């Protein structure tokens, strides 16, 4: 059975199919109105959300189905100490498919391990956000007509921004993509994305310090919010919070056809004056999020019993009860989960739940 926990769970063909169905839904909405009549989606949101939860809800409603769940875990049995795994075992009796957002990294993976209905990761800590990635891919395709060959600049919080991590992972499937990383030193892209994705899949990438020096080369500018809630140190947050701001003056340096994306919410990294610029695609992006989630729910339910759409094998994963993940935000430090780790291309070891480094190759 196919779950969507990480963008790498989907093959290129599966992503193409989801995007093609989303485009078909946009063209012929009425044809999909009743296709999941009586179907039920559970949304388990342990962390705040506006867009993602409402777009999942709207998506299921537009397919003719129903939605149940919670948006504040304090009102559920979680408050009594129920584990993610137990909550999901219970909810799988009531719903055909589950979308889960959690502040602990790896919570959706732990849920998928015990679930007999498809699980969708709607964001886990600063780790991954694969449905935002599908939204972003559909948006790039609709704005520019293609994804192959683009130069995309990621700007802002590349350290904690889970949408950035997931989109870069998906871009490994496209030809001749160039990634430009625009961030202050404190907010640079984690090494595991650089090594295990960019270098492993030969994605051409460069790191720069200012937006101005690259704006004229970009087809897509992907702006992000500095993720205040993930900072342990408030002073550090204050130092970087206004690092990069997109305004009308800077937009003059950009190409005529560049698309500005942002997963939203924005704080002050895009000035409101940019909203009227035809290149500002972020509100159209939100709308695409609903259509792509409709397509995803539809596909995961269609693929459920099809062995051709099983989860990809993970020959690099292994169980090691003696190893321990030191990331305080990893589910493995809060709940009892299988002690799973993976070997990296360079021979190191990482946690499969959160991708934190366990050992360098040299330490083995
Ligand atoms: C993002 C998220 O939750 O990671 N928002 C979203 O899902 N659209 C980005 C953010 O919170 O900054």
């Amino acid at each position: 059975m196919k779950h969507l926990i990480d963008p790498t769970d989907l093959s290129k063909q599966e992503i193409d199919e989801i995007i093609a169905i989303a485009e078909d839904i946009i063209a012929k909405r009425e044809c999909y109105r009743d296709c999941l009549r009586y179907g039920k989606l559970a949304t388990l949101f342990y962390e705040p959300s506006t867009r993602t939860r409402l777009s999942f809800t709207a998506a299921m409603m537009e397919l003719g189905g129903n939605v149940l769940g919670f948006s504040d875990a304090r009102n559920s049995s979680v408050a009594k100490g129920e584990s993610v795994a137990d909550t999901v075992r219970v909810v799988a009796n009531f719903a055909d498919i589950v979308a889960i957002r959690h502040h602990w990294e790896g919570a959706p993976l732990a849920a998928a391990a015990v679930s007999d209905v498809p699980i969708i990761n709607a964001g886990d800590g600063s780790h991954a956000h694969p449905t935002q990635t599908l939204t972003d891919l559909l948006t790039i395709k609709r704005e520019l007509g293609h994804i192959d060959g683009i130069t995309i600049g990621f700007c802002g919080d590349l350290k904690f921004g889970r949408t950035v991590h997931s989109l870069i992972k998906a871009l490994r499937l496209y030809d001749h993509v160039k990634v430009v990383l625009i961030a202050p030193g404190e907010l640079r892209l984690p090494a595991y994305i650089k090594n295990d994705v960019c270098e492993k899949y030969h994605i051409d990438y460069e790191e720069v310090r200012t937006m101005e020096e690259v704006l004229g080369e970009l087809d897509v500018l992907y702006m992000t919010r500095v993720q205040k809630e993930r900072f342990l140190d408030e002073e550090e947050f204050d130092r970087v919070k206004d690092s990069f701001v997109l305004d009308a003056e800077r937009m003059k340096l950009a190409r005529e056809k560049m698309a500005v994306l942002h997963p939203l919410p924005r704080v002050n990294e895009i000035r409101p004056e940019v909203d009227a610029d035809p290149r500002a695609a972020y509100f159209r992006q939100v709308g695409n999020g609903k259509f792509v989630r409709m397509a995803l729910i539809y596909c995961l339910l269609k693929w459920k019993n099809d062995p051709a759409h099983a989860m990809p094998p993970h020959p690099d994963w292994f169980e090691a009860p003696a190893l321990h993940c030191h990331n305080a935000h990893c589910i493995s430090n809060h709940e009892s989960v299988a002690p799973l780790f993976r070997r990296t291309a360079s021979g190191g070891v990482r946690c499969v739940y959160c991708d934190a480094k366990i050992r360098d190759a040299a330490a083995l």
Side-chain angles (χ1 to χ4, degrees), residues 175-229:
D175 293 331
H176 309 297
V177 169
K178 180 164 183 203
V179 168
V180 185
L181 305 167
I182 313 160
E186 295 91 331
L187 298 180
R188 284 164 64 178
L189 192 72
Y192 84 89
I193 304 278
K194 278 189 222 162
N195 303 335
D196 299 357
V197 185
C198 297
E199 271 152 34
K200 183 169 171 194
Y201 295 98
H202 311 292
I203 298 179
D204 185 6
Y205 77 96
E206 69 171 311
E207 291 187 284
V208 299
R209 287 304 183 107
T210 66
M211 218 192 263
E212 287 80 350
E213 65 194 278
V214 286
L215 260 175
E217 296 162 30
L218 304 180
D219 301 301
V220 178
L221 173 61
Y222 194 99
M223 295 296 295
T224 61
R225 172 179 73 88
V226 178
Q227 307 275 301
K228 179 174 185 183
E229 67 278 26

Side-chain angles (χ1 to χ4, degrees), residues 51-52 101 129 132 162-163 225 227 263-265:
R51 257 153 304 277
T52 306
R101 168 172 285 199
H129 196 347
Q132 182 64 45
R162 56 192 173 192
T163 66
R225 172 179 73 88
Q227 307 275 301
L264 302 179

Side-chain angles (χ1 to χ4, degrees), residues 39-43 53 56-61 65-69:
K40 289 192 282 314
L41 164 76
T43 55
R53 189 174 60 80
F56 266 115
T57 303
M60 194 58 173
M61 286 163 72
N66 290 305
V67 185
L68 62 159

Side-chain angles (χ1 to χ4, degrees), residues 9-35:
D9 294 333
L10 296 173
S11 66
K12 178 70 164 42
Q13 288 88 327
E14 287 167 338
I15 292 180
D16 287 347
E17 184 172 344
I18 293 167
I19 290 182
I21 291 177
E23 289 179 312
D24 198 51
I25 292 172
I26 293 167
K28 308 191 230 114
R29 277 168 84 162
E30 64 295 343
C31 297
Y32 290 84
R33 211 170 36 205
D34 273 333
C35 72

